Structures are given as C-alpha cells and as structure tokens.
C-alpha cells in the first residue's frame, strides 16, 4: 500500500471471514472507509453504532458494508491465504521472526480447517521441525524465509 493509513480491504475481509475482526474493529474499519470517501447506509450505521451496542449482532451490517466498499468476502480458504501472504510479507520484510511467522501460518491453516490447505503446508512442517529439533533453528528459519518468498511469488493476492 502506498498510503500507510489506507485500509487493505482484502485483509480486513479475510479477518472478518475467519472471525478475527471484533465489532469495535469493524466500527473503526467503517469510520476509516468513510474518511477515505466510501459511503453507504451500512457503513454509516456501523460507524455510528454506539460503543454499548457493539456487542449486538452486526454481521449483516458488516457484510453489507464490505459490499458498499466494493469488496467481496472471501471463502475461508481464500481468507487463510490472504492472511498467510500478509504473514509471509512480514517475514520477508523482517517484521516477524521466521519461526513466529510459521507458527502464525500454522494457526491460520488450523483455523481454516481445510485438509487441502497445501499452499502453506511447508510452514507447518518447518514450525513442527523446529519444535522437535530446536538446535536446527537457523536451518529451518532459512527454509521459512524461502517459503515466504515462494508464497508471495506464486500465490496471487486473494488466493
């Protein structure tokens, strides 16, 4: 993203699909989209929801707000890949240690629950190997960094 304050709708939609976006986060998301020029009755409703009412079911409002922003909600597997790519980017950029990133991707694969989530299986394998053989950490961290580059290169945004 060129604007560090801009919202990456694809990432936010992926977080929503996997249940990682809380109501308060959804409200902040709506406010940011309104600031960026998006509009619509659901964005306005979500942005104007008082804090005490954020616990009520806002799923329909949030999903319609994504539509108003021109963002289709991903499948669970697509969402897992979107968030896995974000972790891979953080590994590549050095913002996340390779082992920690591999563990995050492992958690995403588990959360997605897809048996065929093979595009990130190597991260799961390397994190598991580090758990079993911590003395080999440098070797596996290098492999994880290589896998991060592969994921960024071979898996298109959106899965």
């Amino acid at each position: 993203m060129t604007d560090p304050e801009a919202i990456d709708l694809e990432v936010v939609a992926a977080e929503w699909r996997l249940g990682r976006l809380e109501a308060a986060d959804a409200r902040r998301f709506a406010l940011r989209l309104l600031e960026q020029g998006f509009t619509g009755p659901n964005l306005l409703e979500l942005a104007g929801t008082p804090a005490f009412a954020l616990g009520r079911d806002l799923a329909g409002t949030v999903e319609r707000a994504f539509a108003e922003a021109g963002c289709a909600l991903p499948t669970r597997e697509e969402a897992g890949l979107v968030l896995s790519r974000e972790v891979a980017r953080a590994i590549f950029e050095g913002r996340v240690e390779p082992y920690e990133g591999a563990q995050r991707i492992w958690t995403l694969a588990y959360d997605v629950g897809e048996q065929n989530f093979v595009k990130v299986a190597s991260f799961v394998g390397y994190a598991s190997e580090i758990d079993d053989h911590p003395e080999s950490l440098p070797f596996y961290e290098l492999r994880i960094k290589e896998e991060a580059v592969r994921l960024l290169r071979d898996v298109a945004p959106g899965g």
Side-chain angles (χ1 to χ4, degrees), residues 8-15 18 74-89 108 117 151 155-159:
D8 187 333
L9 282 173
E10 183 180 47
V11 171
V12 177
E15 290 172 340
L18 294 181
T75 65
R76 289 184 63 76
E77 185 174 359
E78 290 166 344
L81 285 172
V82 166
L83 296 179
S84 293
R85 280 181 50 82
E86 287 301 302
V87 174
R89 181 173 289 107
L108 284 165
F117 206 49
L151 186 65
V155 177

Side-chain angles (χ1 to χ4, degrees), residues 28 41-42 47 50-52 61 63-64 78 83 92 95 107 120 126 137-139 153-154 156-157:
R28 282 191 293 278
N42 293 285
F52 69 84
T61 304
E63 292 185 10
R64 288 186 298 274
E78 290 166 344
L83 296 179
F92 176 75
R95 293 181 285 120
T107 300
V120 299
Y126 293 142
L137 179 68
F139 172 79
R153 181 190 66 223
D154 295 348

Side-chain angles (χ1 to χ4, degrees), residues 63-143:
E63 292 185 10
R64 288 186 298 274
F66 277 111
E68 289 170 354
C71 181
L73 287 173
T75 65
R76 289 184 63 76
E77 185 174 359
E78 290 166 344
L81 285 172
V82 166
L83 296 179
S84 293
R85 280 181 50 82
E86 287 301 302
V87 174
R89 181 173 289 107
I91 292 169
F92 176 75
E93 293 174 352
R95 293 181 285 120
V96 171
E97 292 297 319
Y99 176 54
E100 178 187 344
Q103 289 178 313
R104 288 184 190 179
I105 292 173
W106 187 350
T107 300
L108 284 165
Y110 180 80
D111 289 351
V112 167
E114 295 290 330
Q115 294 296 332
N116 297 323
F117 206 49
V118 297
K119 293 176 182 172
V120 299
S122 56
F123 290 97
V124 175
Y126 293 142
S128 178
E129 287 298 321
I130 292 169
D131 288 346
D132 294 341
H133 305 283
E135 71 280 359
S136 298
L137 179 68
F139 172 79
Y140 289 115
E141 284 189 326
L142 181 58
R143 302 286 86 76

